[in-house]
Amino acid sequence: MKKSTKFLAFAVAAVALFFSTNANAQSPKLGIGVNVGVPTSDAYSFAIGAGLRYQFDIDKQLSVPITAGYTRLMGKEIGNTGVDFADFGYIPAKVGLKYFFNDTGSGVYGLAEAGAGFSTESGGGTSFVYSPAIGYAWSNGLDLGAKFEGLSKNSVNTGYFGLRLAYGFKL
């Protein structure tokens, strides 16, 4: 594993440990969601995935989410060349900040996450993953977000614009 990937993994773990030991008495939440989207690269036709998000609140407006899951970019034929690009699957592991624009802990929010994307393809390696999003969380646990998820490795960038539908519950 490259030094930068090891450093990123260490930094994510350290931030998660710091916040989990210093978070106030608010109940943590676990969310289960699905993602669908449109890739930014002509090599792929569709993005689909699922994930788990553990979220603990710093206060009613600010939370720290830790997200992991699986995403697959579905390959397609480019033009009429007869060449099909292979599907690309990866496991994103991200940590971030989620800010609610009111003090109820639900409603409209902004989210920024970053971490590592571990390829499930042979020789695929690890990419830097970043994901800004906006969304709406209802007090009953339903969460709908619009996001961009980008992957970057060795000056090669791809990603997708998508929607995430999730249900979260208090632990």
Side-chain angles (χ1 to χ4, degrees):
M1 194 184 311
K2 287 181 166 182
K3 285 184 181 182
S4 61
T5 304
K6 286 180 185 178
F7 175 76
L8 180 61
F10 175 76
V12 167
V15 168
L17 180 62
F18 171 77
F19 281 115
S20 67
T21 57
N22 290 312
N24 60 20
Q26 305 232 357
S27 297
K29 299 175 189 89
L30 182 65
I32 300 169
V34 293
N35 306 311
V36 294
V38 178
T40 59
S41 169
D42 288 339
Y44 305 106
S45 62
F46 190 72
I48 188 164
L52 293 174
R53 177 176 290 156
Y54 176 78
Q55 176 179 306
F56 48 94
D57 299 332
I58 302 303
D59 60 29
K60 287 252 185 208
Q61 287 184 277
L62 185 63
S63 299
V64 176
I66 300 170
T67 307
Y70 177 76
T71 301
R72 190 150 196 88
L73 301 175
M74 310 303 281
K76 69 176 187 179
E77 179 181 3
I78 298 288
N80 293 322
T81 62
V83 175
D84 291 331
F85 278 79
D87 293 355
F88 176 73
Y90 65 97
I91 298 168
K94 305 175 287 187
V95 67
L97 292 173
K98 185 176 188 179
Y99 180 78
F100 288 94
F101 293 103
N102 63 47
D103 61 2
T104 65
S106 61
V108 178
Y109 64 83
L111 171 69
E113 295 179 296
F118 303 98
S119 173
T120 59
E121 312 306 319
S122 178
T126 304
S127 301
F128 174 69
V129 176
Y130 54 98
S131 184
I134 57 170
Y136 192 92
W138 286 266
S139 58
N140 66 1
L142 195 59
D143 186 320
L144 179 64
K147 70 182 210 166
F148 172 76
E149 184 156 292
L151 295 130
S152 180
K153 179 182 175 195
N154 299 331
S155 300
V156 176
N157 300 297
T158 192
Y160 70 95
F161 290 96
L163 295 175
R164 177 180 184 267
L165 179 62
Y167 179 75
F169 50 92
K170 291 182 180 181
L171 297 175

